[in-house]
Amino acid sequence: MPAFICNACGTQYPPSEAVPAACPICIDDRQFVPASGQSWITLQGLRNAHSNKFRRLATALTSIETTPTFGIGQRAILARTPAGNVLWDCIALIDDATVDLLNGLGGVTAIAISHPHYYTTMVEWSRALGGAPIYLHAADRQWVMRADSAVQFWEGDTKPFAPGLTLVRLGGHFDGGTVLHWADWSEGRGVLLSGDILQVVPSGHVSFMWSYPNLLPLSAATVRRMAEILEPFAFDAVYGAFSGRGQIDTNGKQVVAASVARYIARIDETP
Ligand SMILES: [Zn+2]
Ligand SMILES: [Zn+2]
């Protein structure tokens, strides 16, 4: 039986004869059902029409994106750490070339995902990569559309899962919204892989939304709280959810602080 994938967001559902009745990820107020309606594809159908491209994002960081663009245009980032390769975030298309390339780079020891818009076909990736564990924050458990024993839910605000590698739950866009902090990256400069929990924006800042497509912002209090949780972590670079929308190669800590201040100044205007 095929495990159908939502064309609009890339989320895969458990194997079934019939297509799912709806996609809760799309129906959610953070997303939208396309005007043309909900439609579905199989992984084989996706492989026939798309491929993945690998690009060097920065030292020890490789981005993986599907071309032509599929779903929300997500990208994954392979973090090549001394503790093993970590797949940060996930995309719907996984094919033989992708598996061959990842294995050629030393395989994948863990998969960690920022929030449900990137869960996509995470189960397929884990199975194709030797059963790599998938770390998801428990606060977003309800958004897992295809459950699997590879999924390991974690709780609280931080999860150190390998030396120098910490998942940090900031919330915001989703209750379990998570970023990955790699302390030792690039000779100790440190990097934050931020998904769209901190969305890197073209001005070279980051910004924050509950829904990006529907323009529903987060409150000042929520963004302040996110900044507080992030405060203990040092980082020079920040790489976000999408290619071509800017990246922060240096001074990341100061840039995030300035971004929080400018966001709060706009959202919390008092006459
Ligand atoms: Zn969907
Ligand atoms: Zn999102």
Side-chain angles (χ1 to χ4, degrees):
M1 282 190 293
F4 287 101
I5 297 168
C6 172
N7 267 318
C9 73
T11 302
Q12 189 181 44
Y13 287 77
S16 61
E17 295 289 359
V19 299
C23 176
I25 300 289
C26 283
I27 289 172
D28 175 33
D29 275 343
R30 274 165 285 222
Q31 282 295 120
F32 57 95
V33 175
S36 55
Q38 209 92 66
S39 65
W40 309 91
I41 193 169
T42 62
L43 191 49
Q44 193 53 52
L46 195 52
R47 287 169 179 155
N48 292 342
H50 299 263
S51 57
N52 285 337
K53 65 179 175 192
F54 284 60
R55 293 204 322 208
R56 189 177 190 279
L57 183 60
T59 179
L61 297 170
T62 304
S63 72
I64 310 171
E65 302 170 78
T66 298
T67 181
T69 299
F70 179 74
I72 307 175
Q74 296 99 324
R75 77 173 171 189
I77 296 174
L78 186 71
R80 301 172 64 191
T81 87
N85 291 335
V86 176
L87 185 73
W88 169 247
D89 275 334
C90 197
I91 58 178
L93 175 61
I94 177 162
D95 59 10
D96 289 342
T98 303
V99 174
D100 287 347
L101 284 165
L102 290 174
N103 285 334
L105 292 169
V108 169
T109 57
I111 299 169
I113 303 182
S114 59
H115 71 292
H117 293 149
Y118 286 75
Y119 291 174
T120 61
T121 61
M122 60 183 176
V123 174
E124 305 277 359
W125 285 73
S126 171
R127 289 180 184 177
L129 295 165
I134 305 166
Y135 299 122
L136 305 181
H137 197 278
D140 291 336
R141 184 189 292 262
Q142 71 183 103
W143 300 106
V144 174
M145 296 295 133
R146 186 178 181 186
D148 192 83
S149 58
V151 173
Q152 296 188 16
F153 291 107
W154 62 280
E155 295 181 23
D157 284 346
T158 57
K159 179 181 173 64
F161 66 100
L165 293 168
T166 307
L167 297 172
V168 187
R169 191 277 292 267
L170 301 179
H173 179 43
F174 272 83
D175 287 347
T178 294
V179 297
L180 170 61
H181 180 251
W182 177 4
D184 305 327
W185 175 77
S186 187
E187 293 166 356
R189 289 166 57 211
V191 64
L192 197 67
L193 302 183
S194 68
D196 57 5
I197 305 309
L198 277 66
Q199 178 87 276
V200 178
V201 292
S203 62
H205 295 77
V206 298
S207 198
F208 310 87
M209 288 289 241
W210 187 76
S211 167
Y212 292 97
N214 301 324
L215 304 179
L216 298 167
L218 292 170
S219 70
T222 296
V223 172
R224 270 195 204 98
R225 174 80 186 123
M226 294 171 74
E228 280 170 22
I229 298 169
L230 195 56
E231 184 50 39
F233 296 90
F235 49 89
D236 200 34
V238 184
Y239 298 111
F242 301 102
S243 290
R245 299 193 199 175
Q247 56 186 47
I248 298 166
D249 292 314
T250 189
N251 289 323
K253 187 79 179 170
Q254 296 90 318
V255 167
V256 168
S259 302
V260 168
R262 84 169 189 169
Y263 181 90
I264 288 173
R266 300 311 312 173
I267 202 82
D268 215 13
E269 251 180 355
T270 41

